[in-house]
Amino acid sequence: MTSVQSGSFLTLHYRLAGPDGGDIVNTFGGTPATLTIGAGDLSPGLEQALIGLADGAQARFELPPGAAFGERNPQMMQRVKMSLMRELGDEDTVYTVGDVVQFPTPDGQGSYAGMVREVGEDWLLFDFNHPLAGQSVHFEVQILGVL
């Protein structure tokens, strides 16, 4: 029987829930996910939980705070001037706490997201940490196939 290793291509159902137990992602009852271990499809902490599971295995994991998406990093909180926000987007956009904003990467080939945590007179405070950073998560999987 084949087991999950670095580089394995998987078909699986999975459920990821936050510390309150509420679903964030749940493929059970729907289309299964396909991914390659080590390709960045899942966080390293979630991928590590899959290593060694056999084809057909079902498992549940409780990952402690920070294990799935890292610890919260206070340096990932950044103030951005409204002048830059107007330059990057629509001049008339009104931002509120909780808004998620996409920013282009320096090379313009990708993007990353930040959540508005505070709104100042001429600035916004963005949190660029993963929303589940520093939190415990529930991870349930059913391995349907390993290549």
Side-chain angles (χ1 to χ4, degrees), residues 20-91:
D20 65 355
D23 284 357
I24 295 165
V25 176
N26 188 345
T27 68
F28 288 95
T31 303
T34 56
L35 57 93
T36 301
I37 298 295
D41 298 320
L42 291 176
S43 75
L46 296 178
E47 286 187 349
Q48 189 60 45
L50 297 174
I51 300 294
L53 292 178
D55 194 347
Q58 293 186 28
R60 291 181 185 201
F61 304 95
E62 299 290 324
L63 292 137
F69 296 97
E71 296 296 336
R72 291 196 55 74
N73 180 348
Q75 293 179 344
M76 298 287 286
M77 302 284 287
Q78 298 288 319
R79 281 190 184 188
V80 177
K81 290 187 176 193
M82 285 302 295
S83 58
L84 178 60
M85 297 303 297
R86 305 255 184 265
E87 184 181 312
L88 292 173
D90 182 359
E91 261 189 50

Side-chain angles (χ1 to χ4, degrees), residues 82-134:
M82 285 302 295
S83 58
L84 178 60
M85 297 303 297
R86 305 255 184 265
E87 184 181 312
L88 292 173
D90 182 359
E91 261 189 50
D92 298 323
T93 300
V94 175
Y95 299 96
T96 58
V97 172
D99 287 348
V100 176
V101 178
Q102 293 290 322
F103 290 85
T105 57
D107 65 6
Q109 300 299 307
S111 66
Y112 59 97
M115 180 182 287
V116 177
R117 293 293 185 186
E118 290 181 33
V119 177
E121 187 173 314
D122 65 347
W123 53 267
L124 299 169
L125 178 65
F126 281 95
D127 183 350
F128 293 105
N129 284 287
H130 187 282
L132 291 172

